[in-house]
Amino acid sequence: MNIYEKIKFLSKQRGVTIAELERTLHFGNSTIRKWEKQSPSVDRLHKVSNYFNLSISMLLNEQEDNYASELSHFILLQTSDLKEELQAYLIQDFKDYLEFKTDKVKKEQKD
């Protein structure tokens, strides 16, 4: 996923269009769309990463597994409005549940 595709995905998850995001961040029309072929400035990457509460490195990492990327973005978007302690609690609760379900499925596959 390139930077534009990631931002498009994140915007869709947040329920905003790319045009709305550009207006919110005070970018010109089609600025983000141009990132399909051009590299954005660090300043603009910083604004986008702050908007989505993500690190710049997460936006730039093209080697991420798509499932892991989609899951991590979903979790961050769902918990970004929460206090850090509650966010950490919910993430740990999710990890525990996922481990429980994975163990259950693995056991069922053996049977």
Side-chain angles (χ1 to χ4, degrees):
M1 222 186 297
N2 67 32
I3 185 74
Y4 172 74
E5 291 167 338
K6 286 183 182 184
I7 294 169
K8 187 176 173 182
F9 170 80
L10 291 167
S11 296
K12 185 177 180 182
Q13 294 294 313
R14 179 77 55 103
V16 298
T17 65
I18 294 293
E20 291 169 332
L21 177 61
E22 288 171 335
R23 282 191 296 276
T24 299
L25 298 177
H26 306 287
F27 294 172
N29 292 340
S30 300
T31 296
I32 294 174
R33 181 95 169 140
K34 292 175 187 173
W35 297 351
E36 283 186 287
K37 295 181 170 81
Q38 302 176 2
S39 296
S41 69
V42 173
D43 180 54
R44 292 194 175 186
L45 276 176
H46 185 68
K47 288 180 180 182
V48 171
S49 68
N50 283 343
Y51 179 85
F52 290 112
N53 197 27
L54 300 172
S55 68
I56 290 176
S57 64
M58 183 176 251
L59 285 174
L60 294 176
N61 187 356
E62 295 184 28
Q63 301 303 316
E64 290 181 57
D65 174 72
N66 284 339
Y67 291 118
S69 175
E70 186 173 337
L71 182 58
S72 64
H73 290 199
F74 175 78
I75 291 169
L76 286 170
L77 286 171
Q78 293 299 313
T79 62
S80 65
D81 297 357
L82 303 175
K83 291 183 180 178
E84 193 172 324
E85 306 85 46
L86 186 53
Q87 186 180 36
Y89 169 79
L90 288 173
I91 290 170
Q92 185 59 52
D93 196 40
F94 178 76
K95 287 179 183 177
D96 293 344
Y97 177 75
L98 186 58
E99 184 177 358
F100 166 77
K101 290 298 281 187
T102 302
D103 290 345
K104 185 177 178 181
V105 169
K106 285 178 182 179
K107 185 179 177 185
E108 288 173 358
Q109 285 181 344
K110 287 181 182 179
D111 294 341

